[in-house]
Amino acid sequence: MRAAAPGALLVLIMAQPNMATGMMPYYRHAWTLAPLLITVIFAAYLFALTPALALVGTPPTRRGWWWRIGMGSGFGIAADVAMAVAHSPWPVVAARICAGLSVGLVTGSLAGLILEHKGERGRTALAVATVLGSALGTIAAAVVAQYLPAPGATVYMGHAILLAVTAMAVLSDRAARPAIAGRAAAAPETAEPRIAGYLSGIAAWVSAGLVVALLPSYGAELLGTKNLALLALPVTLYLVSAWLAQRLIAPTGLAAEPVAAQWIIIAGVALAAAVSWLPSPALLLCGGAVAGFGQGIAYRSGLRIVSAATPPDQHARAAARFAGVAYACAAVATVGFGAIATVASMRDAVLAAAVVLVLVATTTAVVRRRATARATDSVPTPQISTTA
């Protein structure tokens, strides 16, 4: 039971910021939220997560795990309480900031703990726990809010209790586990320019910002439904599809992977945009699934490129830097999409996101082409001997 506690805690930590996603159509109706305010609520999480992850999220030693896990869990519980008592948007913004601090503080330490417990199998466990928490948080909150009483409080108080119990179980067992045998797989070699990796990560998270912050409200507006469980499904499919893509498609399994992945995201966003003209839940679900498939590949591809030339002992810092850049750009872009949706319409916001993603994909292609040309020019031309 205790061996499973770190993974269970990571699931709960990742679920917390995603519960608001499943309930956003409820909040939008109850508080008459403008799309801009919805995206500000979403971006508050990323603006808190980015510095927390970069400044204190990577513990240098095992000793630093425990206070981060304890404090991060405390911030998660505070986020639950703030959401449960909220009767206006501003406590929700404070809750989102607490959620960002929680995820930023806890993720690195729990990753170390899970890897210590499970060895190389822990990398798969990390991916599963992260996506499972995000997906469960989204759909469970929507189902509870749809079918149980006190929709704004029940799910958060239940989550706070589970989080507190699980965090105590993790913190009560600090004994070091013997290292599990197994060699780490070497990162595949890549000659990709590092900027292409950052652009791929930015595209992945800009799409995530669009889907998570606006797609449920977009669906509610276009499909004429208030069923929270149905409106949460595109986001859930997006998250699950992102994880499946990383499991099913081998690294470098796609030609020009960073660019190809971005065009898959754009195809998914285009399908979602088409709901404006062809209102269909199936089309919206398909758009979420396709965009998620591209997102999973794009984020993995970007991280692989950025960390390829980094020494193994610096991989955590490189990953934190990569995530920070992607999150910050996603936060700014998402607020921009919210402003467009407020001034114009949800459809215009989705179309603007598609334009931004096309520009990023085009820039990535140009950067890669120039890097390839430079690499070709730098290869010395073999000299043909004229002597016998």
Side-chain angles (χ1 to χ4, degrees):
M1 177 65 181
R2 286 191 171 185
L9 182 58
L10 183 57
V11 168
L12 291 169
I13 290 289
M14 294 307 301
Q16 206 292 324
N18 288 280
M19 290 192 292
T21 300
M23 295 180 62
M24 195 52 70
Y26 164 78
Y27 293 131
R28 186 187 181 206
H29 175 73
W31 299 333
T32 60
L33 298 180
L36 178 58
L37 191 50
I38 293 173
T39 54
V40 167
I41 289 170
F42 172 80
Y45 165 69
L46 293 179
F47 281 130
L49 170 60
T50 301
L53 192 63
L55 298 177
V56 293
T58 309
T61 64
R62 191 180 192 276
R63 185 179 299 175
W65 293 351
W66 309 110
W67 72 263
R68 287 173 171 83
I69 291 173
M71 185 176 290
S73 300
F75 274 119
I77 293 169
D80 282 330
V81 173
M83 293 296 293
V85 302
H87 293 291
S88 70
W90 304 113
V92 176
V93 173
R96 298 287 289 173
I97 292 171
C98 287
L101 295 173
S102 172
V103 175
L105 279 164
V106 166
T107 303
S109 298
L110 284 179
L113 194 54
I114 290 169
L115 289 170
E116 179 184 85
H117 284 194
K118 297 182 178 294
E120 277 305 303
R121 291 186 298 115
R123 300 192 187 279
T124 300
L126 282 170
V128 171
T130 300
V131 176
L132 183 63
S134 301
L136 280 178
T138 302
I139 193 67
V143 170
V144 169
Q146 183 67 39
Y147 298 111
L148 293 183
T154 303
V155 66
Y156 291 108
M157 297 315 296
H159 179 269
I161 293 169
L162 287 174
L163 182 56
V165 170
T166 310
M168 285 189 289
V170 171
L171 293 172
S172 67
D173 181 21
R174 302 190 186 186
R177 301 293 199 278
I180 296 178
R183 281 174 45 186
E189 293 293 326
T190 177
E192 298 277 2
R194 188 168 294 187
I195 185 64
Y198 280 110
L199 287 168
S200 189
I202 289 168
W205 267 91
V206 166
S207 77
L210 173 75
V211 171
V212 173
L214 286 180
L215 212 59
S217 297
Y218 176 76
E221 182 177 294
L222 296 176
L223 300 177
T225 179
K226 294 180 180 178
N227 189 299
L228 297 178
L230 175 62
L231 294 172
L233 272 180
V235 180
T236 306
L237 275 178
Y238 176 90
L239 295 166
V240 173
S241 183
W243 174 73
L244 285 174
Q246 297 184 44
R247 299 287 294 168
L248 298 177
I249 305 297
T252 69
L254 289 176
E257 185 178 89
V259 179
Q262 291 179 48
W263 283 107
I264 294 173
I265 293 173
I266 293 164
V269 173
L271 286 171
V275 177
S276 293
W277 293 276
L278 298 170
S280 164
L283 192 59
L284 191 63
L285 292 174
C286 186
V290 172
F293 198 86
Q295 197 272 354
I297 302 170
Y299 193 79
R300 181 190 64 187
S301 174
L303 181 58
R304 177 178 57 83
I305 292 168
V306 168
S307 62
T310 306
D313 61 342
Q314 294 297 312
H315 279 180
R317 293 186 184 279
R321 192 183 307 116
F322 171 76
V325 170
Y327 294 160
C329 290
V332 173
T334 303
V335 172
F337 301 149
I340 293 170
T342 301
V343 173
S345 67
M346 286 281 191
R347 179 177 68 184
D348 292 326
V350 175
L351 292 174
V355 171
V356 169
L357 290 167
V358 167
L359 289 174
V360 174
T362 303
T363 304
T364 307
V366 170
V367 167
R368 294 179 75 250
R369 190 179 301 117
R370 289 180 177 176
T372 302
R374 282 196 301 269
T376 302
D377 292 342
S378 65
V379 175
T381 304
Q383 300 294 320
I384 300 175
S385 176
T386 58
T387 60

